[in-house]
Amino acid sequence: MTDTKRFFTDRILTWNRSHNDRTMPWKNEKNPYFIWLSEIILQQTRVEQGRPYYERFIAAYPTVNDLAKAPEEEVFRLWQGLGYYARCKNMLAAARSIAHSGKFPDTYEGIAALKGVGAYTAAAIASFAYNLPHAVLDGNVYRVLARYFGIDTPIDTTAGKKRFTFLANDLLPKNQAGIYNQAIMDFGAVVCKPQQPLCKTCTLSPHCEAFQKGLTDLVPVKSKKLIIKKRYFHFLLLEQDGKIWIRKRTAKDIWQNLHEFPLVETPAPADLETLRQTPGFQRLLPIKTKTTAPGIELKQQLTHQTIHASFIRFSLSPDFTLPEDYMLVPANQLDKYAFPKIITDYLKR
Ligand code: SF4
């Protein structure tokens, strides 16, 4: 290892000894099930948002066997609001396979084979729970490494991933993998932040390429710009004698396995009259029916999509019916079903 690399690793560990104050309930945890749970919850989720979910999950399911035995609908309801429901489905599948095998895997390969576990999560669990020498690479680590070593290879390319993976593993002190992995992520979150990094007081600044050359705003580099798609959802609240029609979303799309009201999606914003002309609307409500309340509009921002949703209520006669993938449920029992956040926000109103 070169002097610059040794300096980096030593300084990260020294910094951690005096700044180990980023308190999180899963920090210093050794139970692989709790670590795995926290890592799955935190994928694409901020720490402050994920923390209450983590606490609720370990209270409801103190062991992986408890989670494995839980009914899917119950787990989805506990997950409600976190988004990315494929994560929840994979988590349950993984819990069931662990329970079936009799113990939590204790090798990197065994952990990486679990559903929903990628390279980062596998390295985090392997190093935190078992101190196995696998370096984590998340957004914080990419940023610290790119800046300190002045690397401008885009981090979202195969070449970039290869280069950073090799470097991260080269820097890893093999006997302190868990502590070091946590330390470098904390360092990225607290000191080498995306905006306004604390370079003036940073322990790495004497050898930091980006700081020395004034490049902190230019690295890390990404090759692709995130494209955000706009979608227009119109939920029809079809009420019949105190009951309401819902169905489970089964298509491979956002919110798979959650429930929703009958939905018409349009490629652009549409008022009610325009909506009535669409084949989707006419399939659901072929007869002219008056709305019973003004429509309500809500918006939800997902990573790759902005959802603009309108909710329109209709009161229907007792002979109205929908195809068999729809269910008519009592309105006061809607809380038994897991819905996407935008629908629970609407229901809270
Ligand atoms: S000097 Fe600045 S850019 Fe370099 S590692 Fe420290 S905080 Fe990050």
Side-chain angles (χ1 to χ4, degrees), residues 53-69:
Y53 283 88
Y54 170 77
E55 284 163 354
R56 261 177 255 148
F57 265 90
I58 62 169
Y61 312 118
T63 69
V64 70
N65 289 339
D66 295 321
L67 177 59
K69 278 187 274 175

Side-chain angles (χ1 to χ4, degrees), residues 19 57 164 183 208 217 229 248:
H19 293 86
F57 265 90
F164 281 94
C208 175
D217 292 341
K229 185 175 160 194
K248 199 175 208 179

Side-chain angles (χ1 to χ4, degrees), residues 147 191-192 197 199 202 204-205 208 211 216:
R147 285 176 175 167
V191 180
C192 196
C199 301
C202 174
L204 296 178
S205 62
C208 175
F211 175 63
T216 49

Side-chain angles (χ1 to χ4, degrees), residues 19-86:
H19 293 86
N20 196 359
D21 47 8
R22 229 180 139 222
T23 52
M24 286 171 267
W26 48 81
K27 230 171 142 178
N28 303 323
E29 180 59 68
K30 290 286 166 216
N31 179 334
Y33 164 61
F34 288 172
I35 296 168
W36 166 72
L37 210 49
S38 71
E39 291 297 338
I40 299 297
I41 288 172
L42 291 181
Q43 285 170 357
Q44 334 245 5
T45 300
R46 285 175 297 109
V47 167
E48 309 78 62
Q49 193 199 354
R51 182 196 295 248
Y53 283 88
Y54 170 77
E55 284 163 354
R56 261 177 255 148
F57 265 90
I58 62 169
Y61 312 118
T63 69
V64 70
N65 289 339
D66 295 321
L67 177 59
K69 278 187 274 175
E72 184 171 293
E73 196 61 40
E74 181 187 290
V75 178
F76 269 81
R77 258 186 287 126
L78 211 57
W79 186 270
Q80 202 161 275
L82 267 180
Y84 299 97
Y85 287 85

